[in-house]
Amino acid sequence: MDRPVRLRYAPSPTGAQHLGGIRTALYNYLFVKKVGGKLILRIEDTDQTRYVPGAEEYVINSCKWAGIEFDEGVHIGGPHAPYRQSERKDLYRKYADELIEKGHAYYAFDTPEELEAMRNRMMEQGNPSPAYDHITRQYMQNSVALSKDEVEKRIQNGDPYVIRIKMPRNEEIKFHDLIRGWVTFNSSQLDDKVLFKSDGMPTYHLANVVDDYLMEITHVVRGEEWLPSAPTHVMTYKMFGWENVMPSFAHLPLILKPEGNGKLSKRDGDKYGFPLYSLDWKEQNISGLKEKGFLPEAYINFIAFLGWNPGTDQEIFSREELIQAFSFERIGKSGARFDPEKAKWFNQQHIKLKSGEALADLLQPYLEQKILLLTAIIW
RNA sequence: GGCCCGUUCAUCUAGGGGUUAGGAUACAAGAUUUUCAUUCUUGGUACAGGGGUUCGAUUCCCCUACGGGCUACCA
């Protein structure tokens, strides 16, 4: 199955983007450049309630600054346009319907209150993690439990509903991760995830699979937080009959806070006096590593090393060297802690590599500003 | 709690059945320097614990501990 290599970076425009997102984009980019594939920028804005104006621009600008270039995407178009999921809205419904027809999905009419009641009831009964699964669905308000007439009546009635995946019972789901090797799950442990929301939008789980299929994506490179839902995605590919063109998966280790526990978050920037973002994000009063004086080449060099290494003693890499050296096999499995001190060292090394002229050019805007200020004072 | 993933110096990591367990950052000490997000030298610190397998495990297997992720009509 030798298909042209196509990868995508698919962020959701929910706010300022940090190191982790750019690193994901970078690994996508490095691999594509190395093997001569195409890189796509797709915006996953299926959750209208979390949409943040300007976030999309921010993603595009951060990538541009870091030198991550796309071949297709929201900002440049391409053969699979549109690349914004909200603009592809009409497309998803028919795929959800297809799954219902095949008996792999069903309508569910449960209200948020009913869902909560179900969870509370189960927790009282000693189940710490209530799930809408192959057992629960039998006594909920859905087209599996309800009579055909009742279901039809409700739909005619205009009752809001979602479409859920009908996860089979006791089936082994196994897939090969480029970084972790074989990962196995049992479908009985998986819940009936919502594929299509009552507001007419698909969830990530549906939109992601459908778009990756439609856009002929060959490799899905994303953060480790997606690993638990990967089996649901694999199952979805199977239900559609798309196994033969299912992309390979690479789940990246998380980037951890400089101190303490947990993955890197927005607050860490201010807390450690060392912003994590690559561009200014005025609305939130956060300035980035760019404003801090970081060179793009130092930034990507450092970020590439958060989880990946070339296996040699070389640490300072140009963009081209990074592309040549990169491979998924050399990405580690454990989370990497972000170390501001080492980041600074990388920047220093790259500054030293710059010629006097290049440095002068970089300094120019700052000097001009100072001169302007001085003349203003003098006059 | 359940499921999944992980665990080599303080940090990023290399390595891998027999090594003085290597490098880098940071740190410490010293030297050089009119200035510097200089430079040089030296130094200390690591295979989570317990069982196997083996002539021999840091490396392979199992268990425990610890860490992390997920557990939404969020991505």
Side-chain angles (χ1 to χ4, degrees):
Chain A
M1 209 188 352
D2 264 359
R3 298 189 289 155
V5 171
R6 292 170 59 82
L7 275 69
R8 85 293 192 283
Y9 175 51
S12 62
T14 52
Q17 173 162 69
H18 71 64
L19 245 34
I22 299 283
R23 188 194 58 172
T24 303
L26 178 65
Y27 286 171
N28 270 288
Y29 169 82
L30 293 176
F31 182 72
V32 157
K33 287 299 166 196
K34 171 149 188 180
V35 304
K38 293 262 191 281
L39 184 60
I40 291 100
L41 176 63
R42 187 174 71 217
I43 298 295
E44 312 227 329
D45 56 349
T46 52
D47 184 2
Q48 290 146 339
T49 64
R50 293 213 309 161
Y51 179 76
V52 174
E56 192 181 304
E57 275 295 300
Y58 182 83
V59 167
I60 294 167
N61 289 337
S62 325
C63 288
K64 194 173 175 189
W65 176 73
I68 299 166
E69 290 154 13
F70 296 90
D71 301 290
E72 300 168 24
V74 260
H75 54 315
I76 44 178
H80 296 276
Y83 291 90
R84 190 162 17 231
Q85 288 183 329
S86 58
E87 290 174 18
R88 301 168 66 78
K89 186 175 174 181
D90 296 340
L91 199 144
Y92 304 108
R93 179 61 205 237
K94 84 167 200 242
Y95 288 97
D97 286 340
E98 183 183 332
L99 251 26
I100 288 181
E101 278 160 35
K102 287 180 170 172
H104 293 315
Y106 58 89
Y107 300 103
F109 302 94
D110 316 88
T111 63
E113 294 72 34
E114 286 169 334
L115 288 172
E116 181 155 0
M118 178 269 278
R119 291 188 184 111
N120 289 150
R121 196 170 58 241
M122 290 186 75
M123 286 209 267
E124 275 164 27
Q125 287 167 2
N127 185 336
S129 52
Y132 204 121
D133 59 16
H134 61 105
I135 297 169
T136 351
R137 71 166 164 254
Q138 291 174 50
Y139 51 87
M140 297 298 283
Q141 306 291 308
N142 59 53
S143 59
V144 173
L146 265 27
S147 74
K148 209 173 172 180
D149 288 349
E150 175 72 13
V151 171
E152 228 139 83
K153 209 175 84 191
R154 288 214 186 197
I155 291 175
Q156 295 296 327
N157 229 0
D159 286 8
Y161 62 84
V162 300
I163 297 173
R164 287 181 180 270
I165 189 170
K166 193 173 173 187
M167 195 50 74
R169 209 177 65 85
N170 197 220
E171 213 173 286
E172 189 176 79
I173 305 175
K174 202 174 163 191
F175 66 92
H176 185 80
D177 186 278
L178 259 21
I179 294 168
R180 281 148 220 288
W182 288 101
V183 186
T184 315
F185 291 81
N186 187 295
S187 65
S188 295
Q189 295 145 192
L190 270 26
D191 61 345
D192 289 356
K193 289 227 178 323
V194 171
L195 296 177
F196 199 85
K197 301 188 270 189
S198 57
D199 67 356
M201 282 290 241
T203 59
Y204 174 90
H205 305 294
L206 209 223
N208 191 259
V209 168
V210 167
D211 281 345
D212 283 345
Y213 168 75
L214 257 22
M215 295 180 182
E216 302 173 69
I217 300 303
T218 53
H219 303 254
V220 169
V221 182
R222 74 220 316 183
E224 192 187 357
E225 69 267 25
W226 291 107
L227 200 49
S229 54
T232 299
H233 305 152
V234 170
M235 183 54 76
T236 308
Y237 277 99
K238 277 190 190 151
M239 289 171 167
F240 277 121
W242 298 338
E243 309 98 298
N244 55 330
V245 288
M246 185 171 79
S248 310
F249 291 98
H251 288 97
L252 270 21
L254 265 15
I255 299 177
L256 280 8
K257 298 167 186 281
E259 287 167 30
N261 309 319
K263 64 173 175 177
L264 200 67
S265 73
K266 291 180 179 181
R267 289 167 172 263
D268 295 315
D270 290 339
K271 187 172 172 189
Y272 299 103
F274 210 91
L276 310 172
Y277 309 86
S278 62
L279 286 178
D280 195 53
W281 183 252
K282 291 193 176 72
E283 287 81 354
Q284 295 182 18
N285 260 325
I286 299 166
S287 83
L289 291 176
K290 170 181 175 275
E291 289 74 23
K292 201 87 181 172
F294 267 78
L295 262 23
E297 48 270 54
Y299 184 82
I300 62 167
N301 190 170
F302 173 63
I303 266 183
F305 269 71
L306 251 25
W308 171 88
N309 78 83
T312 66
D313 281 350
Q314 184 182 353
E315 291 200 276
I316 303 305
F317 280 75
S318 68
R319 171 191 318 280
E320 197 47 43
E321 287 173 320
L322 239 25
I323 290 167
Q324 289 315 315
F326 184 79
S327 74
F328 289 116
E329 291 73 47
R330 295 218 59 89
I331 294 178
K333 297 180 175 73
S334 47
R337 205 173 289 267
F338 170 70
D339 181 0
E341 286 304 321
K342 186 129 189 192
K344 252 156 78 177
W345 177 80
F346 270 97
N347 199 221
Q348 183 194 115
Q349 298 306 309
H350 279 275
I351 288 172
K352 283 162 74 174
L353 252 29
K354 286 262 181 223
S355 69
E357 291 78 38
L359 242 25
D361 285 347
L362 286 165
L363 244 28
Q364 187 103 359
Y366 297 96
L367 292 176
E368 274 170 10
Q369 212 172 36
K370 285 267 191 286
I371 290 165
L372 236 59
L373 206 69
L374 276 175
T375 32
I377 292 166
I378 291 165
W379 291 97

